[in-house]
Amino acid sequence: MSKTPTDPNVKRLRHPLKARRLQVLNIAPVTPKMVRVTFHSPDLAGFVSSSFDDHIKLFFPADGQPVMPEASSEGLRFPEGAERPAARDYTPRRYRKDVNQLDIDFLLHGDGPASNWVTQAHVGDVLIAAGPRGSFVIPDTYDWQMLIGDETALPAITRRLEEAGEGCHIHVLALVHDASERQAVETHARVHIQWIYRQAPVSDSPHSDPLLKAVKAIQLPPGQGYIWAAGEAAQMRALQHHLNIERGIEKSLMRISNYWKHTPEPAH
């Protein structure tokens, strides 16, 4: 996550740490590579997610048997003798407090604890979730906002568009596999979405990425804006360098997060 100074209008909120036992209520495709899982649980009572890019941890035990941890001052503590399961961060896509339901969008990206779990998940399955620990709230008072990211950032981006008010002017640059991965979003804001398609597999060089090329080509709107971006670590570093060094945008007017890291294929 970004550790840079922030505009004083941006609010940082903290939330009590709590683990919750969630049960799968529904599983539905959003696109060929994105699946939405709806969880429900009485444990969701009091759940708070104040920002579109909040994240919760989901735990994926190797044996499929969820173990409930306890919250402590040092974080989550699992029972003695229990193996700490693999954990991944996910955006709370939509929370319906009246029925204690939470939507999480999962990107199908090959082998991994989360992808393996969601491809085999059934209604009634149980996962343990914890968080969010805090929220980074970007106000609607900027003249414009720009949201930049790949598929992993789409749950946050689409949530932001849904929650934005009528006075917001938002430009989105979204990198996806192909046209089948485009998502329709209902919004009250003035939104322009620029869909960018991958022309080749992820390269070891972030400068070959079409998302960065699109950002370099775009003309920023007049007035004071705020830029939010998330995606692959090397690409986000290159993006921040371009915006901060080449464009002269203050770091306090950006939030750029590393959601994942590309690992090059081993040489044969």
Side-chain angles (χ1 to χ4, degrees):
M1 291 295 180
S2 173
K3 300 295 184 182
T4 57
T6 58
D7 187 287
N9 295 314
V10 173
K11 296 180 180 179
R12 290 183 181 271
L13 306 177
R14 300 298 296 174
H15 310 303
L17 179 61
K18 180 179 178 179
R20 294 174 167 88
R21 182 181 177 91
L22 307 182
Q23 188 171 40
V24 175
L25 179 66
N26 188 57
I27 304 170
V30 178
T31 68
K33 291 182 177 293
M34 190 78 77
V35 174
R36 178 164 299 158
V37 178
T38 299
F39 296 94
H40 70 141
S41 172
D43 286 1
L44 284 168
F47 179 82
V48 175
S49 178
S50 303
S51 178
F52 69 96
D53 72 341
D54 285 353
H55 61 275
I56 63 174
K57 282 197 180 296
L58 296 178
F59 295 92
F60 303 93
D63 60 2
Q65 301 300 314
V67 178
M68 178 67 79
E70 292 183 356
S72 69
S73 57
E74 292 80 30
L76 294 177
R77 180 182 300 154
F78 284 83
E80 187 174 351
E83 181 179 355
R84 186 182 179 92
R88 297 292 185 271
D89 289 342
Y90 279 88
T91 299
R93 178 61 180 81
R94 188 183 294 112
Y95 170 53
R96 294 175 291 280
K97 64 180 181 180
D98 55 329
V99 288
N100 285 332
Q101 292 180 7
L102 177 65
D103 292 341
I104 303 290
D105 288 356
F106 290 80
L107 178 65
L108 304 178
H109 55 80
D111 188 43
S115 284
N116 293 342
W117 178 85
V118 75
T119 55
Q120 302 173 43
H122 297 89
V123 172
D125 287 353
V126 172
L127 278 185
I128 303 301
R133 294 293 303 270
S135 299
F136 186 93
V137 182
I138 302 170
D140 291 344
T141 52
Y142 294 101
D143 296 315
W144 52 269
Q145 295 176 41
M146 185 169 291
L147 310 177
I148 306 168
D150 60 13
E151 299 93 337
T152 63
L154 276 181
I157 290 173
T158 51
R159 174 178 167 180
R160 175 58 176 157
L161 298 183
E162 286 186 359
E163 295 177 349
E166 292 183 2
C168 291
H169 177 202
I170 303 176
H171 191 107
V172 176
L173 293 94
L175 175 67
V176 295
H177 180 69
D178 56 32
S180 69
E181 293 302 313
R182 294 169 61 143
Q183 296 187 30
V185 184
E186 293 185 5
T187 179
H188 296 292
R190 291 184 296 146
V191 173
H192 174 73
I193 303 180
Q194 182 177 344
W195 294 100
I196 304 155
Y197 305 135
R198 295 187 185 277
Q199 299 167 353
V202 177
S203 168
D204 292 345
S205 171
H207 303 286
S208 66
D209 180 65
L211 181 62
L212 181 61
K213 291 181 180 179
V215 173
K216 288 185 174 182
I218 200 167
Q219 182 175 352
L220 298 179
Q224 187 179 62
Y226 195 95
I227 297 176
W228 180 94
E232 199 279 327
Q235 294 167 356
M236 291 299 104
R237 287 194 297 271
L239 182 66
Q240 182 161 17
H241 180 273
H242 167 69
L243 294 171
N244 179 230
I245 304 301
E246 298 175 14
R247 295 248 190 171
I249 300 172
E250 296 180 14
K251 289 184 178 181
S252 63
L253 297 175
M254 296 186 288
R255 178 167 169 82
I256 298 181
S257 300
N258 302 331
Y259 273 11
W260 63 284
K261 185 175 183 180
H262 172 58
T263 304
E265 293 292 333
H268 294 286

